[in-house]
Amino acid sequence: MRATFTRYLSRHPGAVIGLVLLGLQVIAILFAPWLTSYSPVEADPLASLEPPSLAHWFGTDVSGMDIYARVIYATRINLLISLTAVAVAFVIGVPVGLLIGFYRGGLSSLVMRVFDFIQSFPIFVLGMALVSVMGQEIWNVSIVLAVLFIPMFARVIRAEVLSLRERPFVAAARCSGATDFSIMFRHILPNALTPAIVQISISVGLAILLTAGLSFVGAGVRMPTPEWGLMVSSGAQQMILGVWWVSLFPGLAIVIAVLSFALIGDMAKDLSDPTTRDRR
């Protein structure tokens, strides 16, 4: 397995870039207090809108807060919200998709209609509505994103289960006396997880964009919480005045985070598919 992984990385520089970018985010999360000497929430009106310099590497915002410190600390907030939401959606959506794919009937149809109702709304608009109802707190944003992502994981697993449940190995397991629980979790689920694993990285990237977007329009976390979308929003009004650094650096952080998970998702897809892995 290690040899396969190493060979894959040697042939795919994009995967290496994704891992490096992810590593930078992990470093920012773990060592944020040692990477900057400024507080991410402490304002200094005398240092308002200072351009990038040796004192403030990324400059300061309108309140005088150090943008570099806020970008570093925002990595914790954005990834905490995104990873928590996706983890909850995965833990709930996978078993639900497995059950409604294996047992077809009225209850399965009802669950699918609920998913249809949730996904009939534009995901961003529904996210704004739910956050507005629940309150603009970090955990509330995570819960809202989890609710939006559960149907995605459930549908992905259900589609795989509908195909796998008719395979000969399932009939053989049933003939050997295996229970439905054993067939679902020992025989079908391991073969159906590959698309869901790929969906994790895609959903994390989407969650980062949604978190930043909600904060940008004022429906996400509130000031002075360091969050990339909130920082882009606070600097957008100064862009026309030539104050580019307030929005540029948190915007680049969003790009790096989403790109890293997109590249890792592509790598996970290749490595989890034996036919693709062996060919590449």
Side-chain angles (χ1 to χ4, degrees):
M1 182 63 183
R2 180 179 300 179
T4 301
F5 182 69
T6 304
R7 185 171 62 252
Y8 179 86
L9 292 181
S10 66
R11 297 178 180 177
H12 297 81
V16 177
I17 294 173
L19 291 174
V20 170
L21 295 179
L22 180 61
L24 293 176
Q25 296 173 72
V26 172
I27 291 173
I29 292 173
L30 297 178
F31 303 105
W34 294 275
L35 293 175
T36 176
S37 57
Y38 292 96
S39 168
V41 295
E42 184 177 339
D44 182 6
L46 298 179
S48 175
L49 295 179
E50 289 190 1
S53 63
L54 292 178
H56 301 281
W57 292 358
F58 291 175
T60 61
D61 62 12
V62 68
S63 300
M65 291 185 285
D66 184 75
I67 296 175
Y68 172 72
R70 289 179 62 77
V71 169
I72 293 297
Y73 277 89
T75 308
R76 292 180 171 181
I77 301 298
N78 284 79
L79 290 190
L80 173 65
I81 292 174
S82 302
L83 292 176
T84 301
V86 173
V88 172
F90 182 85
V91 170
I92 297 177
V94 168
V96 170
L98 181 62
L99 291 172
I100 63 177
F102 190 81
Y103 296 109
R104 291 178 292 185
L107 182 59
S108 298
S109 299
L110 177 62
V111 174
M112 289 302 298
R113 297 296 78 74
V114 172
F115 288 163
D116 289 340
F117 176 77
I118 293 175
Q119 295 185 304
S120 64
F121 294 94
I123 188 170
F124 188 75
V125 174
L126 182 58
M128 284 195 300
L130 293 177
V131 171
S132 300
V133 172
M134 299 181 64
Q136 295 174 255
E137 301 293 339
I138 292 176
W139 295 115
N140 288 341
V141 176
S142 295
I143 293 172
V144 167
L145 293 180
V147 171
L148 297 177
F149 290 149
I150 286 174
M152 297 181 185
F153 284 100
R155 285 183 179 276
V156 167
I157 292 294
R158 177 179 179 271
E160 291 295 311
V161 172
L162 288 176
S163 173
L164 292 171
R165 69 190 304 273
E166 305 299 335
R167 299 287 180 86
F169 71 89
V170 174
R174 195 181 301 277
C175 292
S176 66
T179 62
D180 287 352
F181 182 89
S182 177
I183 292 174
M184 284 189 294
F185 288 93
R186 292 186 58 186
H187 299 280
I188 294 180
L189 183 58
N191 292 285
L193 275 180
T194 297
I197 293 173
V198 177
Q199 183 67 35
I200 289 176
S201 59
I202 298 174
S203 298
V204 171
L206 179 57
I208 292 172
L209 289 176
L210 287 174
T211 301
L214 290 173
S215 297
F216 182 85
V217 300
V221 298
R222 293 174 291 188
M223 287 290 288
T225 304
E227 196 280 326
W228 293 329
L230 193 61
M231 296 169 65
V232 173
S233 177
S234 66
Q237 299 176 355
Q238 284 84 37
M239 287 287 288
I240 194 173
L241 303 176
V243 184
W244 49 268
W245 57 87
V246 180
S247 294
L248 175 64
F249 294 110
L252 289 176
I254 296 173
V255 172
I256 289 173
V258 175
L259 177 62
S260 66
F261 283 101
L263 294 175
I264 290 173
D266 187 55
M267 179 182 66
K269 177 179 180 297
D270 290 341
L271 292 176
S272 59
D273 187 346
T275 57
T276 305
R277 181 185 62 215
D278 296 337
R279 187 172 62 253
R280 299 177 69 173

